[in-house]
Amino acid sequence: FTSEWEKPYSQTWVVTDDETDSKIFGYMVFWTIGETIEILNIAVDLDARGLGFAKKMLHQAIREALRVSAKHLMLDVRKSNL
């Protein structure tokens, strides 16, 4: 996971509480390569599930794809996550 921080095309976004940034609710790791954004990982803390954090991160990924004029946004989902 930390190796992603060294890659110039990789980004990690973290969702925290707005006031102190001391509580992490979730994170998303994605690559921007050429015309494609590939979401590698989205995770939400067990206590924060069902509160819309994953949805917000996906919406932010869509906005980022539009911002960089990406033509593809990819997310592979395991059957166990459906």
Side-chain angles (χ1 to χ4, degrees), residues 13 28 30 37 39 56-66 73:
W13 291 354
M28 175 172 61
F30 65 94
I37 289 182
I39 299 171
K56 288 177 185 178
M57 287 187 279
L58 284 172
H59 284 181
Q60 191 61 36
I62 292 167
R63 283 191 287 277
E64 178 68 6
L66 292 170
L73 177 63

Side-chain angles (χ1 to χ4, degrees), residues 8-11 13 30-39 59-74:
Y9 50 85
S10 182
Q11 293 188 55
W13 291 354
F30 65 94
W31 291 349
T32 304
I33 300 176
E35 297 179 332
T36 301
I37 289 182
E38 182 174 354
I39 299 171
H59 284 181
Q60 191 61 36
I62 292 167
R63 283 191 287 277
E64 178 68 6
L66 292 170
R67 187 187 73 78
V68 300
S69 300
K71 295 189 182 202
H72 309 281
L73 177 63
M74 298 173 41

Side-chain angles (χ1 to χ4, degrees), residues 15-23 25 53 56:
V15 178
T16 66
D17 64 291
D18 288 334
E19 292 182 19
T20 65
D21 287 337
S22 63
K23 174 69 177 158
F25 296 116
F53 290 112
K56 288 177 185 178

